[in-house]
Amino acid sequence: MTTHVKIHGYHIDVFQHVNNARYLEFYEADRWEWMNKRNFINWAIKNNLTMAAVNINVNYIQGVLLGDELTVVTRMDKIGSKSAVCYQQIIRNNAGGAEVVSDAYVTFVFIDNITNKAIVIDDELREKLASFKSGTDDFIQN
């Protein structure tokens, strides 16, 4: 999945760059699009599941400035027994090419909405998550 973001004035902080917290917003926006594109959210709601991020490791490689055009890309990285990890990049697109400005690993679990407890990832959920491994052509190798 890819989400495109053009940096506007409201993205900029008093130091004239994009604050670290904004990167998390860009990453989350792409994850929502990623799930919506595959109708995953409706499936999760129908199955009384909530997806909850439990750990986010972000690398801030370069600053992002007013007017920059970014692409956010996401793919499934690992699927365990109770959690899964997606890998994301924010890429700056400019005349000289494309460069990674940040990347992140997001670990998440699934909560049963009835018991309010994390569940074991069963075969059906694992199959759904495995379908998120495709479409990684937009990633840049670091």
Side-chain angles (χ1 to χ4, degrees):
M1 184 64 214
T2 59
T3 299
H4 300 282
V5 178
K6 178 160 178 124
I7 300 302
H8 298 287
Y10 59 86
H11 292 120
I12 303 297
D13 66 15
V14 297
F15 299 108
Q16 301 301 305
H17 66 81
V18 174
N19 184 279
N20 293 357
R22 285 283 187 180
Y23 289 74
L24 297 177
E25 292 174 2
F26 299 155
Y27 284 130
E28 185 167 5
D30 193 59
R31 289 193 308 274
W32 278 97
E33 288 300 319
W34 187 56
M35 291 183 292
N36 275 327
K37 183 177 180 186
R38 291 169 172 83
N39 202 33
F40 185 79
I41 294 170
N42 289 336
W43 178 87
I45 290 169
K46 190 166 74 171
N47 287 279
N48 290 311
L49 295 176
T50 298
M51 185 174 168
V54 294
N55 189 353
I56 302 175
N57 292 304
V58 182
N59 295 304
Y60 300 99
I61 301 164
Q62 294 185 20
V64 176
L65 305 171
L66 184 66
D68 282 348
E69 295 188 11
L70 309 175
T71 301
V72 186
V73 291
T74 303
R75 73 164 185 251
M76 185 62 59
D77 191 55
K78 299 176 190 167
I79 304 168
S81 62
K82 285 191 99 172
S83 67
V85 179
C86 67
Y87 175 68
Q88 298 184 271
Q89 288 181 339
I90 297 177
I91 300 165
R92 180 184 1 251
N93 309 297
N94 55 36
E99 58 190 349
V100 177
V101 297
S102 176
D103 67 353
Y105 287 93
V106 181
T107 303
F108 52 92
V109 298
F110 292 89
I111 307 294
D112 180 310
N113 292 335
I114 296 168
T115 65
N116 202 31
K117 300 219 185 273
I119 64 163
V120 171
I121 296 174
D122 65 15
D123 290 341
E124 182 180 13
L125 179 53
R126 182 174 302 282
E127 185 178 314
K128 291 244 181 239
L129 294 174
S131 74
F132 286 66
K133 287 189 175 188
S134 63
T136 60
D137 297 344
D138 296 321
F139 281 86
I140 295 177
Q141 298 298 319
N142 291 345

